[in-house]
Amino acid sequence: MAVAHAAWPHSPSREHLDWPFFGPEHRALAAQLDAFINSGGLGAIDHADVDSSCKALVKRLGDAGLLRHCVPRAFDGASEAIDSRALCVTRETLAYSDSLADFAFAMQGLGSGAISLAASDELRRRVLPKVAQGALIPAFALTEPKAGSDVAAVASSARREGEEFVLDGEKIFISNAGIADVYTVFARTGEAPGTRGISAFVVFADTPGFSVVEKIETMAPHPLGRIRFENCRIPAGNLVGSPGEGFKIAMRTLDIFRPSVAAAANGFARRALDEAIAHTQTRQLFGSALGDLPTVQSRLGEMATAIDAAVLLTARTGWLRDVQKQPTTQAAAMAKMTATENAQWVIDQALQMFGGRGVCAGQITERLYREIRALRIYEGATEVQKLIIGRELMKSPKISQARG
């Protein structure tokens, strides 16, 4: 089913952009995004053909200059370093409008994030300007059949042979599998046990020994699949960072982009709330509007508060990273956990207000209900975020003093 956005009449609330966490550049970006979407910039998005739709969306986003926020300025990016708040503003706006538009933008950043952080200048010059233009699609390949949340269980291997590395193994649930031109791949090189023996590599899709062996369909479709490396030889210069640094690079990448997952969830939740408000103002029940019922007004108030709480945590995380230059592992985990869990609840409440119509295929509430579910899992499931927060708390100086 193709969804047209030629004259989209709505945009998410912008009140939070007046908070001190944001600057005039973020308000200008929001205005640019609204103008782009309202003028039909997203085009017609066919959710039945996600591969073609995402390729087209990457090109449109690139032509509009929006993908420049996914790479540093030195490589045709919009900011000196990737600005976490710009990512969040963009993802919230795109998610409010269409999930595939959000996905296409997000993967340009996540797929190339490790390259921005730690690749050689030669690799960055080869890849990042094309990412910003929408001329090249990247992917982030970490998850394996037996290594999801437990990254230490990665079994894919890379061995050095002269001026090459030879990769063998499989990755699964890889976003952009089959449409990506370049993959950031994490494989075991064996410098040390566990996570300290993993390295990162850049693998181009036309490299012999690389293949996409399965396309995976999910309840909210997007390009997803299983990829394989069989005696896949890549130049030694395609190593990202130093041997054994792959886990640190992966975690640094996720720390940058994890708050934007929260922002996407906030966009979904805002859309659900706006749809619910509009519906309850017109839906008649027992001789008056549904929205006149105190129980409905109370529930709408809870929904709005849940969204604002998540938006505050998300904005704080971006501000801590961009302005305060502080580590954001704990803050990002809090934002991601709260936003995705709250959005799931908000969307469920909105669907309930629509009654039977809310679960009908093609309805916005039904689509949002499917789309939000994956966000509670990818880039670290809620249970993992709780562990991250607890682990960071145990590192607190107060805890160390108490132990001493």
Side-chain angles (χ1 to χ4, degrees):
M1 177 182 177
V3 179
H5 297 273
W8 186 248
H10 305 298
S11 63
S13 170
R14 299 301 190 193
E15 293 179 0
H16 65 293
L17 295 183
D18 291 325
W19 297 348
F21 295 117
F22 297 96
E25 68 274 22
H26 301 109
R27 292 184 281 275
L29 173 59
Q32 179 190 1
L33 284 158
D34 291 343
F36 169 70
I37 294 171
N38 292 334
S39 66
L42 293 178
I45 302 174
D46 186 356
H47 285 251
D49 185 359
V50 292
D51 285 8
S52 295
S53 291
C54 285
K55 288 180 181 179
L57 282 163
V58 167
K59 185 178 187 307
R60 291 170 191 150
L61 292 166
D63 289 345
L66 294 169
L67 297 181
R68 295 181 63 238
H69 294 283
C70 295
V71 304
R73 179 172 292 148
F75 304 96
D76 294 346
S79 307
E80 188 68 26
I82 296 173
D83 187 272
S84 184
R85 292 164 298 167
L87 296 176
C88 290
V89 170
T90 305
R91 288 201 66 179
E92 182 176 324
T93 303
L94 293 175
Y96 184 94
S97 185
D98 191 280
S99 63
L100 280 183
D102 165 62
F103 169 83
F105 174 84
M107 284 310 303
Q108 290 297 108
L110 179 63
S112 64
I115 299 173
S116 293
L117 288 172
S120 67
D121 283 346
E122 180 184 353
L123 271 177
R124 288 191 283 185
R125 284 192 297 268
R126 184 178 175 187
V127 171
L128 297 180
K130 291 182 179 179
V131 168
Q133 297 159 12
L136 183 148
I137 297 176
F140 184 83
L142 178 61
T143 302
E144 295 185 4
K146 295 184 179 180
S149 299
D150 182 9
V151 179
V154 162
S156 294
S157 65
R159 66 183 186 275
R160 182 77 180 255
E161 290 189 0
E163 294 304 309
E164 294 181 321
F165 280 94
V166 183
L167 272 64
D168 288 286
E170 283 193 358
K171 301 288 182 178
I172 198 167
F173 300 123
I174 304 306
S175 293
N176 277 348
I179 69 169
D181 303 292
V182 62
Y183 295 76
T184 301
V185 180
F186 298 86
R188 185 164 297 285
T189 44
E191 287 74 20
T195 57
R196 293 179 296 165
I198 296 171
S199 300
F201 303 90
V202 169
V203 180
F204 289 88
D206 59 358
T207 305
F210 167 81
S211 61
V212 179
V213 294
E214 180 186 8
K215 296 291 284 184
I216 300 173
E217 294 188 10
T218 59
M219 60 195 296
H222 70 274
L224 192 70
R226 181 165 58 100
I227 61 178
R228 180 177 295 161
F229 304 92
E230 296 178 288
N231 198 36
C232 181
R233 294 179 174 271
I234 61 171
N238 284 22
L239 175 70
V240 178
S242 299
E245 289 187 344
F247 176 76
K248 290 181 180 179
I249 292 168
M251 295 304 104
R252 286 175 62 199
T253 303
L254 292 174
D255 276 352
I256 293 172
F257 292 96
R258 190 169 278 150
S260 76
V261 180
N266 295 336
F268 288 152
R270 286 195 194 278
R271 180 67 184 276
L273 177 61
D274 287 352
E275 294 287 340
I277 292 170
H279 175 70
T280 59
Q281 288 175 333
T282 58
R283 172 65 166 161
Q284 295 294 304
L285 185 69
F286 305 127
S288 63
L290 180 62
D292 290 338
L293 295 175
T295 53
V296 172
Q297 293 178 6
S298 175
R299 186 52 49 86
L300 290 171
E302 289 181 282
M303 293 160 69
T305 303
I307 293 171
D308 260 21
V311 172
L312 272 165
L313 286 173
T314 306
R316 179 190 69 163
T317 305
W319 176 79
L320 284 172
R321 180 183 178 274
D322 297 337
V323 179
Q324 298 296 299
K325 309 300 182 184
Q326 293 185 20
T328 57
T329 299
Q330 179 176 313
M334 288 180 170
K336 200 268 185 182
M337 176 183 71
T338 302
T340 55
E341 292 292 331
N342 286 8
Q344 180 84 68
W345 180 80
V346 167
I347 291 167
D348 185 70
Q349 301 310 305
L351 188 150
Q352 191 75 8
M353 292 177 188
F354 275 79
R357 177 183 158 197
V359 296
C360 293
Q363 292 293 319
I364 183 63
T365 47
E366 180 266 345
R367 178 167 64 83
L368 289 168
Y369 196 82
R370 288 185 290 105
E371 288 168 348
I372 188 56
R373 190 60 185 85
L375 273 68
R376 293 170 57 203
I377 297 173
Y378 76 69
E379 291 192 37
T382 293
E383 292 75 15
V384 173
Q385 303 310 315
K386 292 178 181 179
L387 290 173
I388 291 171
I389 296 164
R391 181 192 67 201
E392 292 299 309
L393 288 172
M394 295 304 291
K395 295 178 182 178
S396 166
K398 292 181 180 180
I399 297 294
S400 299
Q401 291 170 9
R403 286 174 174 170

PDB file of all heavy atoms in Angstrom, residues 147-177:
ATOM      1  N   ALA A 147      24.390 -14.384  18.958  1.00  0.00           N
ATOM      2  CA  ALA A 147      24.998 -13.217  19.610  1.00  0.00           C
ATOM      3  C   ALA A 147      24.146 -11.994  19.321  1.00  0.00           C
ATOM      4  O   ALA A 147      24.311 -11.341  18.293  1.00  0.00           O
ATOM      5  CB  ALA A 147      26.428 -13.003  19.115  1.00  0.00           C
ATOM      6  N   GLY A 148      23.216 -11.731  20.248  1.00  0.00           N
ATOM      7  CA  GLY A 148      22.385 -10.539  20.132  1.00  0.00           C
ATOM      8  C   GLY A 148      22.811  -9.536  21.186  1.00  0.00           C
ATOM      9  O   GLY A 148      23.763  -8.781  21.014  1.00  0.00           O
ATOM     10  N   SER A 149      22.121  -9.563  22.315  1.00  0.00           N
ATOM     11  CA  SER A 149      22.486  -8.677  23.416  1.00  0.00           C
ATOM     12  C   SER A 149      23.872  -9.007  23.979  1.00  0.00           C
ATOM     13  O   SER A 149      24.569  -8.128  24.484  1.00  0.00           O
ATOM     14  CB  SER A 149      21.440  -8.775  24.535  1.00  0.00           C
ATOM     15  OG  SER A 149      20.163  -8.383  24.060  1.00  0.00           O
ATOM     16  N   ASP A 150      24.268 -10.265  23.881  1.00  0.00           N
ATOM     17  CA  ASP A 150      25.577 -10.688  24.385  1.00  0.00           C
ATOM     18  C   ASP A 150      26.602 -10.593  23.256  1.00  0.00           C
ATOM     19  O   ASP A 150      26.879 -11.573  22.550  1.00  0.00           O
ATOM     20  CB  ASP A 150      25.485 -12.120  24.914  1.00  0.00           C
ATOM     21  CG  ASP A 150      26.805 -12.618  25.499  1.00  0.00           C
ATOM     22  OD1 ASP A 150      27.739 -11.799  25.640  1.00  0.00           O
ATOM     23  OD2 ASP A 150      26.893 -13.822  25.802  1.00  0.00           O
ATOM     24  N   VAL A 151      27.190  -9.417  23.101  1.00  0.00           N
ATOM     25  CA  VAL A 151      28.131  -9.188  21.998  1.00  0.00           C
ATOM     26  C   VAL A 151      29.365 -10.068  22.142  1.00  0.00           C
ATOM     27  O   VAL A 151      29.994 -10.448  21.142  1.00  0.00           O
ATOM     28  CB  VAL A 151      28.527  -7.694  21.932  1.00  0.00           C
ATOM     29  CG1 VAL A 151      29.519  -7.444  20.812  1.00  0.00           C
ATOM     30  CG2 VAL A 151      27.278  -6.833  21.730  1.00  0.00           C
ATOM     31  N   ALA A 152      29.720 -10.437  23.364  1.00  0.00           N
ATOM     32  CA  ALA A 152      30.902 -11.278  23.580  1.00  0.00           C
ATOM     33  C   ALA A 152      30.776 -12.634  22.895  1.00  0.00           C
ATOM     34  O   ALA A 152      31.782 -13.319  22.671  1.00  0.00           O
ATOM     35  CB  ALA A 152      31.151 -11.470  25.066  1.00  0.00           C
ATOM     36  N   ALA A 153      29.553 -13.023  22.523  1.00  0.00           N
ATOM     37  CA  ALA A 153      29.328 -14.319  21.877  1.00  0.00           C
ATOM     38  C   ALA A 153      29.512 -14.274  20.366  1.00  0.00           C
ATOM     39  O   ALA A 153      29.276 -15.275  19.686  1.00  0.00           O
ATOM     40  CB  ALA A 153      27.926 -14.824  22.216  1.00  0.00           C
ATOM     41  N   VAL A 154      29.928 -13.132  19.818  1.00  0.00           N
ATOM     42  CA  VAL A 154      30.168 -13.033  18.376  1.00  0.00           C
ATOM     43  C   VAL A 154      31.129 -14.133  17.941  1.00  0.00           C
ATOM     44  O   VAL A 154      32.193 -14.320  18.536  1.00  0.00           O
ATOM     45  CB  VAL A 154      30.741 -11.643  18.014  1.00  0.00           C
ATOM     46  CG1 VAL A 154      31.407 -11.661  16.643  1.00  0.00           C
ATOM     47  CG2 VAL A 154      29.629 -10.606  18.034  1.00  0.00           C
ATOM     48  N   ALA A 155      30.737 -14.874  16.886  1.00  0.00           N
ATOM     49  CA  ALA A 155      31.549 -15.992  16.417  1.00  0.00           C
ATOM     50  C   ALA A 155      32.148 -15.758  15.035  1.00  0.00           C
ATOM     51  O   ALA A 155      33.075 -16.474  14.636  1.00  0.00           O
ATOM     52  CB  ALA A 155      30.715 -17.269  16.394  1.00  0.00           C
ATOM     53  N   SER A 156      31.626 -14.805  14.273  1.00  0.00           N
ATOM     54  CA  SER A 156      32.223 -14.495  12.974  1.00  0.00           C
ATOM     55  C   SER A 156      33.698 -14.167  13.178  1.00  0.00           C
ATOM     56  O   SER A 156      34.067 -13.514  14.153  1.00  0.00           O
ATOM     57  CB  SER A 156      31.517 -13.304  12.330  1.00  0.00           C
ATOM     58  OG  SER A 156      30.192 -13.624  12.006  1.00  0.00           O
ATOM     59  N   SER A 157      34.524 -14.621  12.251  1.00  0.00           N
ATOM     60  CA  SER A 157      35.970 -14.474  12.449  1.00  0.00           C
ATOM     61  C   SER A 157      36.608 -13.707  11.294  1.00  0.00           C
ATOM     62  O   SER A 157      36.093 -13.684  10.173  1.00  0.00           O
ATOM     63  CB  SER A 157      36.627 -15.853  12.562  1.00  0.00           C
ATOM     64  OG  SER A 157      36.512 -16.561  11.331  1.00  0.00           O
ATOM     65  N   ALA A 158      37.732 -13.094  11.611  1.00  0.00           N
ATOM     66  CA  ALA A 158      38.551 -12.414  10.603  1.00  0.00           C
ATOM     67  C   ALA A 158      40.011 -12.716  10.905  1.00  0.00           C
ATOM     68  O   ALA A 158      40.492 -12.414  12.004  1.00  0.00           O
ATOM     69  CB  ALA A 158      38.292 -10.912  10.629  1.00  0.00           C
ATOM     70  N   ARG A 159      40.694 -13.308   9.954  1.00  0.00           N
ATOM     71  CA  ARG A 159      42.109 -13.641  10.159  1.00  0.00           C
ATOM     72  C   ARG A 159      42.963 -12.860   9.161  1.00  0.00           C
ATOM     73  O   ARG A 159      42.577 -12.640   8.011  1.00  0.00           O
ATOM     74  CB  ARG A 159      42.341 -15.144  10.008  1.00  0.00           C
ATOM     75  CG  ARG A 159      42.108 -15.686   8.611  1.00  0.00           C
ATOM     76  CD  ARG A 159      42.297 -17.198   8.562  1.00  0.00           C
ATOM     77  NE  ARG A 159      42.205 -17.716   7.185  1.00  0.00           N
ATOM     78  CZ  ARG A 159      41.073 -18.023   6.584  1.00  0.00           C
ATOM     79  NH1 ARG A 159      39.912 -17.877   7.229  1.00  0.00           N
ATOM     80  NH2 ARG A 159      41.078 -18.487   5.336  1.00  0.00           N
ATOM     81  N   ARG A 160      44.115 -12.443   9.620  1.00  0.00           N
ATOM     82  CA  ARG A 160      45.026 -11.659   8.782  1.00  0.00           C
ATOM     83  C   ARG A 160      45.842 -12.605   7.904  1.00  0.00           C
ATOM     84  O   ARG A 160      46.448 -13.568   8.395  1.00  0.00           O
ATOM     85  CB  ARG A 160      45.946 -10.820   9.671  1.00  0.00           C
ATOM     86  CG  ARG A 160      46.930  -9.920   8.915  1.00  0.00           C
ATOM     87  CD  ARG A 160      46.229  -8.698   8.378  1.00  0.00           C
ATOM     88  NE  ARG A 160      47.138  -7.821   7.649  1.00  0.00           N
ATOM     89  CZ  ARG A 160      47.606  -6.651   8.138  1.00  0.00           C
ATOM     90  NH1 ARG A 160      47.242  -6.257   9.354  1.00  0.00           N
ATOM     91  NH2 ARG A 160      48.395  -5.901   7.413  1.00  0.00           N
ATOM     92  N   GLU A 161      45.863 -12.322   6.602  1.00  0.00           N
ATOM     93  CA  GLU A 161      46.715 -13.027   5.662  1.00  0.00           C
ATOM     94  C   GLU A 161      47.399 -11.991   4.792  1.00  0.00           C
ATOM     95  O   GLU A 161      46.806 -11.463   3.844  1.00  0.00           O
ATOM     96  CB  GLU A 161      45.906 -14.007   4.802  1.00  0.00           C
ATOM     97  CG  GLU A 161      45.378 -15.208   5.573  1.00  0.00           C
ATOM     98  CD  GLU A 161      44.774 -16.282   4.672  1.00  0.00           C
ATOM     99  OE1 GLU A 161      44.768 -16.074   3.423  1.00  0.00           O
ATOM    100  OE2 GLU A 161      44.310 -17.311   5.191  1.00  0.00           O
ATOM    101  N   GLY A 162      48.615 -11.661   5.120  1.00  0.00           N
ATOM    102  CA  GLY A 162      49.351 -10.652   4.365  1.00  0.00           C
ATOM    103  C   GLY A 162      48.688  -9.301   4.465  1.00  0.00           C
ATOM    104  O   GLY A 162      48.468  -8.780   5.562  1.00  0.00           O
ATOM    105  N   GLU A 163      48.339  -8.724   3.336  1.00  0.00           N
ATOM    106  CA  GLU A 163      47.705  -7.412   3.291  1.00  0.00           C
ATOM    107  C   GLU A 163      46.192  -7.507   3.204  1.00  0.00           C
ATOM    108  O   GLU A 163      45.532  -6.566   2.758  1.00  0.00           O
ATOM    109  CB  GLU A 163      48.248  -6.620   2.097  1.00  0.00           C
ATOM    110  CG  GLU A 163      49.717  -6.275   2.219  1.00  0.00           C
ATOM    111  CD  GLU A 163      50.009  -5.517   3.511  1.00  0.00           C
ATOM    112  OE1 GLU A 163      49.304  -4.515   3.772  1.00  0.00           O
ATOM    113  OE2 GLU A 163      50.922  -5.930   4.260  1.00  0.00           O
ATOM    114  N   GLU A 164      45.649  -8.641   3.633  1.00  0.00           N
ATOM    115  CA  GLU A 164      44.199  -8.843   3.600  1.00  0.00           C
ATOM    116  C   GLU A 164      43.720  -9.427   4.929  1.00  0.00           C
ATOM    117  O   GLU A 164      44.489 -10.021   5.686  1.00  0.00           O
ATOM    118  CB  GLU A 164      43.801  -9.801   2.476  1.00  0.00           C
ATOM    119  CG  GLU A 164      44.054  -9.297   1.076  1.00  0.00           C
ATOM    120  CD  GLU A 164      43.618 -10.294   0.030  1.00  0.00           C
ATOM    121  OE1 GLU A 164      43.817 -11.507   0.252  1.00  0.00           O
ATOM    122  OE2 GLU A 164      43.075  -9.862  -1.009  1.00  0.00           O
ATOM    123  N   PHE A 165      42.437  -9.238   5.193  1.00  0.00           N
ATOM    124  CA  PHE A 165      41.727  -9.987   6.220  1.00  0.00           C
ATOM    125  C   PHE A 165      40.743 -10.912   5.514  1.00  0.00           C
ATOM    126  O   PHE A 165      40.138 -10.540   4.494  1.00  0.00           O
ATOM    127  CB  PHE A 165      40.956  -9.060   7.161  1.00  0.00           C
ATOM    128  CG  PHE A 165      41.806  -8.426   8.229  1.00  0.00           C
ATOM    129  CD1 PHE A 165      42.362  -7.166   8.029  1.00  0.00           C
ATOM    130  CD2 PHE A 165      42.059  -9.095   9.413  1.00  0.00           C
ATOM    131  CE1 PHE A 165      43.142  -6.577   9.017  1.00  0.00           C
ATOM    132  CE2 PHE A 165      42.841  -8.513  10.398  1.00  0.00           C
ATOM    133  CZ  PHE A 165      43.381  -7.248  10.203  1.00  0.00           C
ATOM    134  N   VAL A 166      40.565 -12.115   6.063  1.00  0.00           N
ATOM    135  CA  VAL A 166      39.629 -13.086   5.499  1.00  0.00           C
ATOM    136  C   VAL A 166      38.491 -13.281   6.499  1.00  0.00           C
ATOM    137  O   VAL A 166      38.714 -13.723   7.633  1.00  0.00           O
ATOM    138  CB  VAL A 166      40.319 -14.434   5.213  1.00  0.00           C
ATOM    139  CG1 VAL A 166      39.328 -15.394   4.560  1.00  0.00           C
ATOM    140  CG2 VAL A 166      41.535 -14.230   4.317  1.00  0.00           C
ATOM    141  N   LEU A 167      37.277 -12.926   6.083  1.00  0.00           N
ATOM    142  CA  LEU A 167      36.104 -12.988   6.957  1.00  0.00           C
ATOM    143  C   LEU A 167      35.297 -14.243   6.684  1.00  0.00           C
ATOM    144  O   LEU A 167      35.071 -14.619   5.518  1.00  0.00           O
ATOM    145  CB  LEU A 167      35.208 -11.760   6.752  1.00  0.00           C
ATOM    146  CG  LEU A 167      35.510 -10.511   7.581  1.00  0.00           C
ATOM    147  CD1 LEU A 167      36.880  -9.958   7.218  1.00  0.00           C
ATOM    148  CD2 LEU A 167      34.439  -9.456   7.365  1.00  0.00           C
ATOM    149  N   ASP A 168      34.816 -14.860   7.768  1.00  0.00           N
ATOM    150  CA  ASP A 168      33.905 -16.001   7.684  1.00  0.00           C
ATOM    151  C   ASP A 168      32.869 -15.868   8.794  1.00  0.00           C
ATOM    152  O   ASP A 168      33.197 -15.474   9.920  1.00  0.00           O
ATOM    153  CB  ASP A 168      34.660 -17.325   7.852  1.00  0.00           C
ATOM    154  CG  ASP A 168      35.517 -17.670   6.653  1.00  0.00           C
ATOM    155  OD1 ASP A 168      34.950 -18.074   5.622  1.00  0.00           O
ATOM    156  OD2 ASP A 168      36.751 -17.512   6.755  1.00  0.00           O
ATOM    157  N   GLY A 169      31.611 -16.197   8.478  1.00  0.00           N
ATOM    158  CA  GLY A 169      30.565 -16.169   9.488  1.00  0.00           C
ATOM    159  C   GLY A 169      29.257 -15.636   8.952  1.00  0.00           C
ATOM    160  O   GLY A 169      29.121 -15.367   7.746  1.00  0.00           O
ATOM    161  N   GLU A 170      28.288 -15.505   9.847  1.00  0.00           N
ATOM    162  CA  GLU A 170      26.953 -15.024   9.485  1.00  0.00           C
ATOM    163  C   GLU A 170      26.499 -13.938  10.438  1.00  0.00           C
ATOM    164  O   GLU A 170      26.852 -13.938  11.622  1.00  0.00           O
ATOM    165  CB  GLU A 170      25.928 -16.158   9.507  1.00  0.00           C
ATOM    166  CG  GLU A 170      25.978 -17.069   8.321  1.00  0.00           C
ATOM    167  CD  GLU A 170      24.744 -17.978   8.223  1.00  0.00           C
ATOM    168  OE1 GLU A 170      23.870 -17.901   9.130  1.00  0.00           O
ATOM    169  OE2 GLU A 170      24.663 -18.755   7.264  1.00  0.00           O
ATOM    170  N   LYS A 171      25.696 -13.035   9.907  1.00  0.00           N
ATOM    171  CA  LYS A 171      25.017 -12.007  10.689  1.00  0.00           C
ATOM    172  C   LYS A 171      23.531 -12.091  10.392  1.00  0.00           C
ATOM    173  O   LYS A 171      23.135 -12.414   9.260  1.00  0.00           O
ATOM    174  CB  LYS A 171      25.537 -10.613  10.334  1.00  0.00           C
ATOM    175  CG  LYS A 171      27.033 -10.416  10.557  1.00  0.00           C
ATOM    176  CD  LYS A 171      27.385 -10.351  12.029  1.00  0.00           C
ATOM    177  CE  LYS A 171      28.866 -10.105  12.234  1.00  0.00           C
ATOM    178  NZ  LYS A 171      29.209  -9.989  13.676  1.00  0.00           N
ATOM    179  N   ILE A 172      22.705 -11.775  11.373  1.00  0.00           N
ATOM    180  CA  ILE A 172      21.255 -11.880  11.188  1.00  0.00           C
ATOM    181  C   ILE A 172      20.564 -10.628  11.720  1.00  0.00           C
ATOM    182  O   ILE A 172      21.136  -9.887  12.525  1.00  0.00           O
ATOM    183  CB  ILE A 172      20.712 -13.156  11.893  1.00  0.00           C
ATOM    184  CG1 ILE A 172      19.322 -13.525  11.356  1.00  0.00           C
ATOM    185  CG2 ILE A 172      20.703 -12.983  13.416  1.00  0.00           C
ATOM    186  CD1 ILE A 172      18.869 -14.914  11.761  1.00  0.00           C
ATOM    187  N   PHE A 173      19.337 -10.399  11.243  1.00  0.00           N
ATOM    188  CA  PHE A 173      18.561  -9.197  11.591  1.00  0.00           C
ATOM    189  C   PHE A 173      19.339  -7.938  11.237  1.00  0.00           C
ATOM    190  O   PHE A 173      19.377  -6.984  12.018  1.00  0.00           O
ATOM    191  CB  PHE A 173      18.157  -9.197  13.073  1.00  0.00           C
ATOM    192  CG  PHE A 173      17.310 -10.377  13.473  1.00  0.00           C
ATOM    193  CD1 PHE A 173      17.705 -11.220  14.502  1.00  0.00           C
ATOM    194  CD2 PHE A 173      16.119 -10.639  12.830  1.00  0.00           C
ATOM    195  CE1 PHE A 173      16.937 -12.313  14.868  1.00  0.00           C
ATOM    196  CE2 PHE A 173      15.334 -11.731  13.188  1.00  0.00           C
ATOM    197  CZ  PHE A 173      15.749 -12.565  14.203  1.00  0.00           C
ATOM    198  N   ILE A 174      19.943  -7.938  10.059  1.00  0.00           N
ATOM    199  CA  ILE A 174      20.744  -6.806   9.621  1.00  0.00           C
ATOM    200  C   ILE A 174      19.871  -5.871   8.787  1.00  0.00           C
ATOM    201  O   ILE A 174      19.400  -6.244   7.703  1.00  0.00           O
ATOM    202  CB  ILE A 174      21.975  -7.264   8.823  1.00  0.00           C
ATOM    203  CG1 ILE A 174      22.810  -8.243   9.658  1.00  0.00           C
ATOM    204  CG2 ILE A 174      22.801  -6.058   8.378  1.00  0.00           C
ATOM    205  CD1 ILE A 174      23.220  -7.722  11.023  1.00  0.00           C
ATOM    206  N   SER A 175      19.638  -4.673   9.300  1.00  0.00           N
ATOM    207  CA  SER A 175      18.855  -3.681   8.574  1.00  0.00           C
ATOM    208  C   SER A 175      19.622  -3.226   7.333  1.00  0.00           C
ATOM    209  O   SER A 175      20.839  -3.046   7.366  1.00  0.00           O
ATOM    210  CB  SER A 175      18.554  -2.477   9.473  1.00  0.00           C
ATOM    211  OG  SER A 175      17.691  -2.844  10.525  1.00  0.00           O
ATOM    212  N   ASN A 176      18.885  -3.052   6.252  1.00  0.00           N
ATOM    213  CA  ASN A 176      19.413  -2.678   4.929  1.00  0.00           C
ATOM    214  C   ASN A 176      20.081  -3.845   4.214  1.00  0.00           C
ATOM    215  O   ASN A 176      20.676  -3.650   3.148  1.00  0.00           O
ATOM    216  CB  ASN A 176      20.376  -1.499   5.000  1.00  0.00           C
ATOM    217  CG  ASN A 176      19.662  -0.158   5.018  1.00  0.00           C
ATOM    218  OD1 ASN A 176      18.463  -0.084   4.767  1.00  0.00           O
ATOM    219  ND2 ASN A 176      20.387   0.889   5.322  1.00  0.00           N
ATOM    220  N   ALA A 177      20.003  -5.066   4.772  1.00  0.00           N
ATOM    221  CA  ALA A 177      20.565  -6.227   4.083  1.00  0.00           C
ATOM    222  C   ALA A 177      19.915  -6.348   2.710  1.00  0.00           C
ATOM    223  O   ALA A 177      18.693  -6.371   2.582  1.00  0.00           O
ATOM    224  CB  ALA A 177      20.326  -7.497   4.886  1.00  0.00           C
TER     225      ALA A 177
END
